[in-house]
């Protein structure tokens, strides 16, 4: 009798904690409108002066996006998270488009993410040299020319030209002190020299910029790009005369691409919980990247772990003792969470096996597994709705949420990143929330496209449009 009462008490505590969490995560449409409005306000502040806003609104020096006429063989290197990619892209020129793309993906050894600049760039240069060596003799359409490389480097960089820039800070689990403040192209060049690789970086870009360029190559209506991967960020095409802090000459196109660095966005309207605060405090960059920490693939699984740990500790969710594995930060990854969230079996067998394989939690009841799925849903939905609000904020800033001369302008947003690509429920929720924010009429003119591996191909395209041989 007593045991039963205790169990019931524990169940009530579990549901109390879960309900409280869900309440805090709630993101009603009114709140999302506020988030979008403050995003648009911060965008203006960030464009007005350097350092004025939490949004860096970095000037990319990209004022010419690909047109489809680019021609030649170009390389790209995409570094930004868990893996890095090397690409070789053969561009056919006008009317021919992209003839061939070859790529290789390498995972970055964890020690390279936190050791020294030397070690990281040596590793990258060696992999790049290995890839270049597979080129073959006849594949270079312009023999004698130096090979050119687009370098996608997806961390906040203060650009000093299209092909140089200093690292402002690391994010996403990278932390290499001696690289901060250094020119990342200079570091790469030195490493390439050390391995005897003669190649020239003609474009240094962020992955958002690469994705934007990749999207534009196929569709002239692309106005912005959003990455939802390990981290999250956005870039968009701004009118150069709407950037008060831009000191340079007005570009011929009249446009300038801006890397927002919106992962660092925060607002009192963000539905933050105690779990987010704890995650932030324990992170490598406390107080920073708050928007990113609520949304991106690096963190969603970790938020779930923290809530599960709480109900294990305070409501004996997994029995008398707290499962040891559950105490390990980042053990539960977002792909695991997504697999559990998408479990459609009647007994939630995938949830059971993930809990067993990753956390060594056996004998879970169906009721328990349902709670886990519910938590996945709460966390993913919050992230998805907030990303939609961010996109809506960009459209508002550009005045593309309303009619111009009686018509809505067609706006295409290029999206990429593992979270967007593989987390279906996240993607669906994001897309439906964006529609909800735009309203029925406007939503027909806004399209989200998947710019597959746009960040790498886009960098090669930008290397082409900024080639020294033009
Ligand atoms: P990066 O952001 O490191 O350049 P990606 O764009 O490939 O790389 O994104 C990788 C991230 O995407 C992973 O860190 C993970 O969080 C997320 N991800 C990958 N696969 C899945 C999945 N099946 N479900 C949910 N998220 C996933
Ligand atoms: Mg990436």
């Amino acid at each position: 009798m007593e045991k039963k009462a205790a169990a019931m008490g524990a169940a009530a505590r579990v549901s109390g904690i879960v309900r409280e969490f869900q309440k805090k995560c709630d993101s009603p449409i009114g709140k999302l409108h506020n988030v979008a409005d403050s995003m648009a306000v911060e965008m203006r502040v960030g464009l007005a002066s350097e350092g004025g806003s939490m949004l860096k609104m970095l000037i990319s020096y990209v004022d010419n996006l690909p047109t489809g006429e680019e021609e030649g063989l170009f390389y790209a290197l995409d570094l930004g998270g868990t893996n890095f990619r090397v690409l070789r892209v053969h561009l056919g020129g006008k009317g021919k488009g992209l003839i061939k793309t070859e790529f290789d993906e390498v995972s970055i050894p964890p020690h390279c993410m936190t050791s020294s600049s030397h070690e990281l760039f040596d590793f990258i240069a060696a992999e790049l040299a290995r890839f270049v060596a597979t080129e073959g003799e006849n594949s270079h359409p312009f023999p004698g020319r130096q090979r050119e490389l687009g370098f996608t480097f997806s961390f906040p960089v203060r650009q000093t030209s299209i092909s140089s820039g200093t690292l402002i800070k690391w994010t996403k689990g990278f932390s290499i002190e001696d690289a901060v403040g250094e020119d990342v192209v200079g570091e790469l060049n030195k490493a390439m020299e050390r391995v005897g690789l003669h190649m020239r970086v003609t474009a240094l870009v962020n992955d958002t910029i690469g994705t934007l360029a990749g999207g534009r190559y196929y569709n002239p209506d692309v106005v912005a790009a959003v990455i939802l991967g390990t981290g999250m960020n956005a870039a968009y095409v701004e009118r150069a005369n709407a950037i008060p802090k831009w000191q340079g000459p007005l570009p011929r196109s009249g446009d300038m691409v801006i890397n927002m660095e919106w992962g660092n966005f925060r607002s009192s309207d963000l539905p933050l919980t105690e779990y987010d605060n704890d995650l932030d405090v324990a992170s490598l960059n406390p107080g920073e990247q708050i928007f990113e920490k609520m949304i991106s693939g690096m963190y969603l699984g970790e938020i779930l772990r923290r809530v599960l740990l709480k109900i294990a500790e305070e409501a004996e969710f997994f029995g008398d003792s707290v499962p040891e594995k559950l105490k390990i930060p980042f053990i539960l990854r977002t792909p695991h969470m997504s697999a559990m969230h998408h479990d459609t079996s009647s007994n939630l067998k995938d949830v059971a096996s993930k809990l067993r394989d990753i956390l060594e939690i056996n004998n879970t009841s169906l009721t328990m597994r349902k709670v886990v799925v519910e938590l996945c849903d709460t966390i993913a939905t919050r992230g998805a709705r907030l990303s939609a609000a961010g996109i809506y904020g960009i459209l508002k800033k550009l005045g593309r949420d309303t009619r111009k001369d009686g018509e809505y302008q067609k706006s295409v947003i290029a999206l990429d990143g593992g979270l967007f690509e593989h987390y279906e429920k996240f993607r669906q929720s994001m897309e439906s929330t964006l529609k909800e924010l735009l309203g029925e009429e406007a939503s027909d003119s806004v399209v989200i496209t998947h710019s597959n591996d746009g960040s790498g191909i886009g960098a090669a395209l930008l290397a082409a449009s900024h080639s020294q041989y033009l």
Side-chain angles (χ1 to χ4, degrees):
M1 215 36 210
E2 233 168 66
K3 211 170 173 188
K4 199 171 171 192
M8 277 174 67
R13 286 206 302 284
V14 169
S15 98
I17 294 169
V18 171
R19 296 296 154 255
E20 174 70 18
F21 175 65
Q22 288 173 326
K23 206 171 86 195
K24 288 261 169 64
C25 285
D26 202 22
S27 52
I29 203 77
K31 224 177 199 182
L32 296 181
H33 274 283
N34 294 347
V35 169
D37 286 341
S38 32
M39 183 68 82
V41 168
E42 285 301 326
M43 287 170 77
R44 282 177 209 285
V45 178
L47 291 172
S49 68
E50 219 56 83
S53 165
M54 61 182 96
L55 297 186
K56 292 203 166 66
M57 303 300 285
L58 300 168
I59 291 169
S60 68
Y61 286 79
V62 172
D63 53 16
N64 249 327
L65 285 160
T67 58
E69 295 185 13
E70 293 73 15
E71 188 176 2
L73 187 77
F74 295 90
Y75 280 85
L77 197 161
D78 182 356
L79 172 70
T82 341
N83 296 315
F84 84 90
R85 283 177 268 265
V86 282
L87 297 91
R88 178 163 47 233
V89 178
H90 191 165
L91 305 170
K94 194 171 186 167
K96 297 212 185 77
L98 209 150
I99 293 174
K100 194 174 174 192
T101 313
E102 298 159 271
F103 78 98
D104 208 353
E105 187 165 293
V106 189
S107 72
I108 302 164
H111 71 268
C112 282
M113 296 174 164
T114 49
S115 58
S116 68
S117 183
H118 205 102
E119 202 163 328
L120 176 68
F121 283 101
D122 271 1
F123 177 76
I124 292 168
E127 290 295 331
L128 185 59
R130 200 181 46 72
F131 182 68
V132 170
T134 65
E135 190 180 278
E137 268 174 30
N138 304 316
S139 61
H140 208 291
F142 300 113
R145 283 192 182 183
Q146 188 179 23
R147 289 185 187 82
E148 294 178 311
L149 176 77
F151 182 14
T152 304
F153 183 77
S154 312
F155 300 94
V157 163
R158 174 110 34 232
Q159 298 265 159
T160 40
S161 74
I162 179 69
S163 58
S164 60
T166 55
L167 174 62
I168 298 171
K169 63 173 185 183
W170 291 104
T171 55
K172 297 176 282 193
F174 278 68
S175 173
I176 304 170
E177 261 327 295
D178 66 346
V180 177
E182 297 297 321
D183 177 10
V184 289
V185 172
E187 297 297 295
L188 177 62
N189 280 338
K190 278 188 270 172
M192 289 199 295
E193 248 166 62
R194 287 194 290 267
V195 298
L197 179 62
H198 302 291
M199 208 173 209
R200 182 185 177 122
V201 177
T202 59
L204 169 67
V205 295
N206 185 270
D207 55 351
T208 52
I209 312 277
T211 301
L212 185 61
R216 239 326 154 83
Y217 187 68
Y218 296 106
N219 189 337
D221 292 326
V222 169
V223 292
V226 172
I227 300 287
L228 291 164
T230 306
M232 58 131 26
N233 192 9
Y236 75 106
V237 185
E238 184 56 277
R239 300 294 303 164
N241 60 15
I243 312 172
K245 71 178 177 185
W246 171 244
Q247 307 280 314
L250 210 62
R252 227 182 316 154
S253 65
D255 292 335
M256 178 59 80
V257 177
I258 299 290
N259 164 16
M260 291 176 62
E261 287 298 330
W262 83 1
N264 198 43
F265 176 76
R266 70 187 306 169
S267 133
S268 54
D269 283 302
L270 292 181
L272 282 160
T273 68
E274 61 180 272
Y275 308 96
D276 299 294
N277 295 332
D278 294 348
L279 181 154
D280 176 46
V281 168
S283 71
L284 284 173
N285 51 354
E288 291 173 9
Q289 303 292 104
I290 300 300
F291 201 46
E292 175 166 273
K293 286 171 182 163
M294 299 175 83
I295 298 171
S296 82
M298 174 156 176
Y299 303 102
L300 294 185
E302 172 64 4
I303 300 171
L304 175 63
R305 182 196 69 86
R306 285 174 175 272
V307 182
L308 290 176
L309 181 62
K310 173 89 167 188
I311 54 178
E313 283 174 347
E314 301 204 354
E316 291 153 33
F317 186 60
F318 295 112
D320 302 344
S321 61
V322 177
E324 280 307 312
K325 291 269 175 180
L326 192 55
K327 298 177 187 166
I328 303 172
F330 291 98
I331 189 168
L332 204 54
R333 314 296 309 183
T334 302
H336 304 142
M337 168 178 160
S338 149
M340 295 197 287
H341 196 174
H342 290 98
D343 188 351
T344 51
S345 64
S346 58
N347 58 348
L348 296 176
K349 64 178 172 36
D350 297 334
V351 178
S353 68
K354 284 280 176 280
L355 293 173
R356 190 182 56 234
D357 298 346
I358 299 154
L359 300 171
E360 293 175 4
I361 298 170
N362 299 302
N363 307 323
T364 50
S365 70
L366 184 57
T367 315
M368 287 160 78
R369 293 174 212 161
K370 282 184 178 160
V371 171
V372 175
V373 175
E374 220 184 302
L375 288 171
C376 294
D377 195 59
T378 302
I379 295 165
T381 302
R382 180 185 69 163
R385 288 176 69 82
L386 289 174
S387 1
I391 295 174
Y392 183 57
I394 298 177
L395 292 168
K396 283 194 98 162
K397 165 70 182 71
L398 293 175
R400 286 173 172 267
D401 60 322
T402 53
R403 286 192 178 83
K404 192 181 165 193
D405 305 327
E407 303 241 5
Y408 288 103
Q409 294 163 271
K410 181 109 196 254
S411 305
V412 179
I413 321 280
L415 266 102
D416 199 16
L419 184 67
F420 174 78
E421 220 176 314
H422 304 297
Y423 204 145
E424 204 177 315
K425 281 182 190 283
F426 185 104
R427 189 174 68 223
Q428 283 165 355
S429 167
M430 187 187 79
E431 293 187 1
S432 65
T433 307
L434 183 60
K435 281 201 161 64
E436 197 181 342
L437 284 162
L438 282 160
E440 213 169 294
E441 283 179 30
S443 70
D444 286 341
S445 62
V446 176
V447 176
I448 283 183
T449 55
H450 179 204
S451 177
N452 201 3
D453 205 12
S455 65
I457 292 169
L461 291 168
L462 289 167
S465 52
H466 295 87
S467 165
Q468 60 186 316
Y469 301 108
L470 284 181

